[in-house]
Amino acid sequence: MTLPAYESTGAAWNGIPAVHDGDPVRRGRAWTWLVVPAAAGILLGIAWWLLAPGGANLLTRDPALADPSTPLTRLPRDLVLAALLLLAGCFAAVLLDASRPDQGRGLRTFLAAAGGLAGSAVAWQAGLLAAAWWGPSGAVPAGEDGFTLRSAVVLLVWPFTVALLAFLYNLISLLGRGTRTGDQAH
């Protein structure tokens, strides 16, 4: 059985208006804020392995940083992942602000931050998988660290960036709205 999309009143069968303030209301797309960042984590993880010292080392190309068990590569490797996650968080926050309708903004922000956390975890695991697949076999002696993440706090960079920038965008928007309202009152 199929239900009619709109009744004669212009509202959907569940009572949600088809048009809100002249713009069509988008329904059913909130899940993309959770799924797309998680899928993007695969690409970020591969990019992490390609760029980071101890991985393919395309960023520095320094032979001294090619060995993943060298303690010198630990901090730069974590910082490369942090930089990639920061960039992804900024990109997600800009897209979140570009989706202007105020309806469901809190839910979208929460889902984008949760998707960022999922994307961070996927990026970490995808980078480790890329190192296992494409890294040199037997390069790391038994008992030593290979290509890995030393600081798990790095995984919070993406969701924190989304949350912070969403807060700042909303604050600036509210301050701008308050200034315009105050100017008209005088």
Side-chain angles (χ1 to χ4, degrees), residues 29-45 84-86 88-93 96 106-124 154-163:
R29 299 224 175 138
W31 59 270
T32 58
W33 291 104
L34 185 63
V35 173
V36 171
I42 296 170
L43 297 175
L44 288 175
L84 289 171
L85 296 179
L86 180 69
C90 291
F91 185 71
L96 189 64
L107 176 66
R108 285 193 315 265
T109 303
F110 175 76
L111 289 176
L117 185 60
S120 295
V122 168
W124 172 40
V154 169
L155 299 177
L156 298 177
V157 169
W158 189 346
F160 179 75
T161 303
V162 169

Side-chain angles (χ1 to χ4, degrees), residues 141-155:
E144 290 190 24
D145 289 334
F147 187 85
T148 186
L149 182 66
R150 300 292 292 186
S151 176
V153 176
V154 169
L155 299 177

Side-chain angles (χ1 to χ4, degrees), residues 47-104:
W48 175 44
W49 180 78
L50 287 171
L51 297 173
N57 199 17
L58 295 179
L59 195 60
T60 63
R61 297 180 190 253
D62 185 3
L65 298 176
D67 184 16
S69 64
T70 305
L72 184 63
T73 64
R74 293 175 182 165
L75 179 62
R77 186 171 45 236
D78 287 0
L79 290 177
V80 167
L81 182 60
L84 289 171
L85 296 179
L86 180 69
L87 184 64
C90 291
F91 185 71
V94 167
L95 286 179
L96 189 64
D97 187 56
S99 62
R100 279 286 177 195
D102 289 333
Q103 243 181 349

